[in-house]
Amino acid sequence: MFSKQLSVFIENRKGRLGEVLGVLKENDINILSLSLADTTEYGLLRIITDNPETAKKKLSDSGFSTMLTDVLIIKIPHESGSLQTLLTLLTENGINIEYMYGLSVNGEKASVVLKAEDALKAERILTENGVEFLSTDNI
Amino acid sequence: MIWSKEETLSRREIEEIQLSRLKETVNRVYEKVLPYKKKMDEIGLKPDDIKSLKDLSKLPFITKQDMRDTYPFGLFAVDKKELVRIHASSGTTGKPTVVGYTKNDLKTWTECVSRIACMGGASKEDIAQICFGYGMFTGALGLHYGLENIGATIVPSSTGNSEKQIMYMQDFGTSLLVATPSYALRLAEVANSMGIDPKKDLSVKIGLVGSELLTDAMRAEMHKVWGDDMKITSNYGMSELMGPGVSGECLEHCGMHINEDYFIPEIINPATGEVLPEGEKGELVVTCIKKEGLPLIRYRTKDITRLFYEPCKCGRTFCRMENPSGRSDDMLKVRGVNVFPSQIEEVILSFAELGPHYEIIVEREGYSDKLSVRVELVKSTDSFSDLEKLTANIRYKIKTVLGLDVKIILESPNTLKRFEGKAKRIIDLRNK
Ligand SMILES: [Zn+2]
């Protein structure tokens, strides 16, 4: 099961990240997880929110370049080695991971956000191996 | 529709009119304009030496500097009381250049603009919204009188307050838009932000654009936002010569017809001043042959273009000038290479990921020039490799065109400055 991740292009200029967060706050959009990666010139902010469509619209209206991407939010046991098991499973099946970041959840289980090159195949392999997914509604 | 019969005269008839008007003009300026007399006397040239159109090349050039040196009225050929209008072009440095019109000059001007408006598809049915700044600038009033003369309904909305501009378009049913290409794009952006789709919700079907270069890519960009069926033509002029109406594009889109019964064009090598053969690219030089107030002879426009003389499919016989590919003074010399902003613009507009606005920055780094281009990323991505591929592709394309390495700076949409008049695309920091 795929979830929508919102990517936002931000120039490396003071206050730009704050502006994005400001727009989300104004529209009561909750950030469930976020990853910010940057080069010397620009950054990409990847966000999991409770309302990706609205978030995209509001940010575009405020002058940001945005994009929605299908990602997998994967439940993993909250114990050492669980992430490695997941990665081994994917690698053995020839699936390349483009990026991945953690999503903190209370309780027994942790979860990670994952974007694979071959997203459909990744979803199939993981499902076959009994891995559970989360959606933005049930986090 | 062809507005006047002069536009279809034979080459021989055109040349007859040109020669007689040229002789008359040269005689008059020699008598009445001291700086001209001085220039001609210096090279031992008398008005009688002008016996054929070929002799035009013997006459000295007039430049913008000559106009500044004689500020404000030194090159005028009539007494001030004969003037009925004054305009001035913005002097970015120092004094502006001042131009004056007699009653007959205004008639000529109106006639010339009526012709180019008809070339672009305008008729008396049109509701024409003029989004050029009114005032000392000739663009707005030139189009205003020319369009009014053919019977169109004028909405003199000027520039600024873009939301209101869109409201007028919607409420009055504007069918013809007069603007710079970049402001036409800006207006579409504003309409979209108001939830109005110019293609469906507005009835603008004709765009007469001017005062800024219209590249093919810019035209395509305009069609994208205003609709494929919009008739977009560019027109050309400058206040020193008259204002808009010197030339205009017909719907065949094969260059702008010059009103040759009023203006004689030549193409010269900007470095040597030598006249170039037909079809070659160089600086446009224009002689006004029917003006009373300010009849400039061999005025150096600084615009780089070419001329074609074969009669056009539209039926007009007046020669056509290509959309200028740049201005000899907009031309940047970067590491010894000639760079026209329009070359960079073509590349930028070929990328769907980028918006049509851009800014070129030239800096000195050590002993070398550094060229950067700021562009707006309108389609985002979730991956760095996409962004890196995009900037690499833009760099590669610009390198193919210019032979120069440039730095590409990606910006968010609506970051770069928008212009209501002529867009200022170059920031040259080398001598700062
Ligand atoms: Zn034509």
Side-chain angles (χ1 to χ4, degrees):
Chain A
M1 181 179 45
F2 290 104
S3 298
K4 293 278 180 220
Q5 167 197 266
L6 178 65
S7 307
V8 187
F9 171 85
I10 35 181
E11 306 93 328
N12 274 0
R13 208 179 296 134
K14 226 178 158 183
R16 285 298 267 171
L17 178 59
E19 283 174 44
V20 175
L21 301 179
V23 172
L24 297 179
K25 186 180 164 211
E26 254 169 53
N27 292 285
D28 278 331
I29 293 161
N30 221 345
I31 299 174
L32 304 172
S33 176
L34 152 165
S35 134
L36 175 65
D38 60 358
T39 67
T40 49
E41 265 126 46
Y42 48 78
L44 278 175
L45 178 66
R46 301 178 181 122
I47 328 172
I48 303 292
T49 74
D50 53 356
N51 195 345
E53 312 284 344
T54 312
K56 177 177 166 60
K57 179 159 190 324
K58 296 294 175 191
L59 284 169
S60 301
D61 289 350
S62 307
F64 288 94
S65 272
T66 56
M67 186 200 196
L68 288 177
T69 319
D70 282 334
V71 293
L72 293 166
I73 303 179
I74 301 162
K75 261 203 226 179
I76 49 171
H78 202 97
E79 60 196 38
S80 86
S82 62
L83 188 57
Q84 201 200 354
T85 315
L86 176 77
L87 292 186
T88 311
L89 177 62
L90 291 169
T91 315
E92 274 171 0
N93 285 283
I95 291 168
N96 288 324
I97 296 167
E98 285 185 20
Y99 54 81
M100 189 167 84
Y101 52 97
L103 183 137
S104 62
V105 190
N106 293 332
E108 302 284 288
K109 294 231 170 176
S111 52
V112 288
V113 178
L114 183 138
K115 166 85 192 295
E117 241 172 47
D118 189 340
L120 285 173
K121 188 175 171 194
E123 190 201 25
R124 183 169 53 77
I125 303 280
L126 292 172
T127 313
E128 281 168 10
N129 285 275
V131 174
E132 281 178 70
F133 301 109
L134 288 174
S135 79
T136 44
D137 319 318
N138 66 13
I139 291 171
Chain B
M1 180 190 129
I2 295 179
W3 178 254
S4 73
K5 60 179 193 324
E6 283 80 6
E7 295 173 79
T8 56
L9 292 175
S10 70
R11 183 53 37 194
R12 194 181 53 77
E13 289 168 311
I14 295 169
E15 289 182 351
E16 268 171 24
I17 294 176
Q18 286 182 328
L19 182 59
S20 92
R21 290 184 174 177
L22 173 66
K23 282 181 175 170
E24 195 275 323
T25 301
V26 173
N27 267 306
R28 198 154 41 88
V29 297
Y30 187 78
E31 232 174 77
K32 300 205 166 145
V33 188
L34 197 59
Y36 269 112
K37 183 175 183 314
K38 273 196 194 146
K39 276 194 181 228
M40 285 173 67
D41 286 346
E42 267 167 30
I43 53 168
L45 190 72
K46 292 277 172 276
D48 285 350
D49 295 332
I50 307 303
K51 294 187 169 68
S52 75
L53 285 177
K54 280 216 156 48
D55 296 328
L56 176 62
S57 63
K58 293 178 181 165
L59 288 158
F61 294 117
I62 284 284
T63 63
K64 202 168 187 128
Q65 193 54 47
D66 291 314
M67 299 186 72
R68 291 208 182 99
D69 293 346
T70 56
Y71 176 87
F73 303 133
L75 292 175
F76 283 26
V78 295
D79 198 84
K80 259 186 285 175
K81 67 174 187 289
E82 301 298 321
L83 298 176
V84 296
R85 176 98 62 80
I86 301 279
H87 278 284
S89 73
S90 56
T92 37
T93 48
K95 296 279 190 191
T97 48
V98 178
V99 297
Y101 304 77
T102 64
K103 246 189 179 141
N104 283 330
D105 287 339
L106 287 187
K107 269 188 211 150
T108 301
W109 190 11
T110 299
E111 160 75 14
C112 286
V113 176
S114 294
R115 289 178 186 176
I116 60 127
C118 286
M119 279 182 216
S123 74
K124 67 177 199 298
E125 314 291 329
D126 281 307
I127 295 174
Q129 192 160 329
I130 300 184
C131 306
F132 271 162
Y134 279 73
M136 296 306 270
F137 168 58
T138 50
L141 284 168
L143 266 304
H144 182 117
Y145 285 102
L147 281 159
E148 200 168 72
N149 188 40
I150 65 174
T153 310
I154 307 296
V155 182
S157 58
S158 196
T159 52
N161 205 342
S162 305
E163 275 92 9
K164 200 161 241 170
Q165 301 269 12
I166 301 298
M167 187 192 82
Y168 291 148
M169 287 180 190
Q170 209 171 17
D171 296 351
F172 302 163
T174 299
S175 60
L176 186 155
L177 170 68
V178 172
T180 62
S182 50
Y183 192 48
L185 291 177
R186 173 68 190 147
L187 283 170
E189 272 177 357
V190 172
N192 283 320
S193 74
M194 296 162 71
I196 292 169
D197 180 357
K199 290 192 283 269
K200 291 196 304 245
D201 307 327
L202 300 177
S203 36
V204 181
K205 291 290 167 254
I206 296 174
L208 299 181
V209 301
S211 137
E212 197 180 87
L213 299 180
L214 177 69
T215 58
D216 289 345
M218 201 74 166
R219 191 198 299 271
E221 202 64 32
M222 279 184 69
H223 277 302
K224 223 192 274 169
V225 289
W226 285 96
D228 288 331
D229 57 343
M230 190 193 205
K231 291 174 185 162
I232 302 167
T233 56
S234 60
N235 59 76
Y236 174 85
M238 53 181 62
S239 64
E240 294 86 337
L241 299 174
M242 188 174 72
V246 173
S247 67
E249 192 181 19
C250 68
L251 296 172
E252 297 293 330
H253 300 299
C254 53
M256 297 182 280
H257 289 286
I258 298 179
N259 281 312
E260 281 192 276
D261 50 344
Y262 295 111
F263 304 97
I264 304 178
E266 297 168 276
I267 297 292
I268 64 160
N269 174 334
T272 64
E274 153 209 23
V275 176
L276 297 175
E278 183 181 334
E280 275 190 37
K281 206 174 224 183
E283 181 182 331
L284 176 70
V285 168
V286 176
T287 299
C288 305
I289 49 173
K290 191 62 184 163
K291 272 182 75 191
E292 296 177 344
L294 184 63
L296 295 185
I297 289 176
R298 302 197 85 202
Y299 182 70
R300 295 193 54 166
T301 65
K302 305 260 178 135
D303 285 317
I304 306 292
T305 182
R306 290 192 278 184
L307 298 176
F308 304 104
Y309 282 85
E310 319 87 76
C312 181
K313 279 193 217 127
C314 72
R316 292 177 181 85
T317 49
F318 284 164
C319 76
R320 289 161 285 132
M321 61 181 271
E322 199 172 62
N323 268 331
S325 53
R327 284 180 60 74
S328 58
D329 54 0
D330 263 359
M331 190 179 79
L332 276 171
K333 267 233 186 262
V334 181
R335 276 176 258 151
V337 178
N338 293 342
V339 175
F340 287 111
S342 57
Q343 294 173 296
I344 293 176
E345 180 176 303
E346 295 267 348
V347 172
I348 291 165
L349 293 178
S350 69
F351 285 90
E353 295 92 337
L354 304 180
H357 302 274
Y358 63 95
E359 192 176 275
I360 299 167
I361 302 158
V362 205
E363 293 160 287
R364 184 85 71 195
E365 212 176 52
Y367 292 102
S368 182
D369 299 331
K370 198 180 117 202
L371 194 62
S372 324
V373 183
R374 292 175 73 202
V375 290
E376 289 182 355
L377 181 75
V378 292
K379 269 194 197 152
S380 189
T381 161
D382 72 321
S383 101
F384 276 107
S385 68
D386 286 351
L387 292 176
E388 276 155 20
K389 254 183 246 158
L390 175 67
T391 47
N393 282 339
I394 305 169
R395 283 178 60 186
Y396 175 76
K397 270 206 183 177
I398 293 181
K399 180 140 197 179
T400 317
V401 176
L402 299 178
L404 282 175
D405 217 358
V406 299
K407 183 179 169 194
I408 303 298
I409 304 168
L410 299 177
E411 302 281 359
S412 290
N414 277 311
T415 304
L416 300 175
K417 196 168 171 358
R418 302 297 198 258
F419 298 89
E420 290 175 351
K422 200 170 156 44
K424 192 176 174 330
R425 310 287 199 189
I426 302 169
I427 297 177
D428 196 337
L429 301 170
R430 286 176 296 188
N431 299 314
K432 298 272 158 70

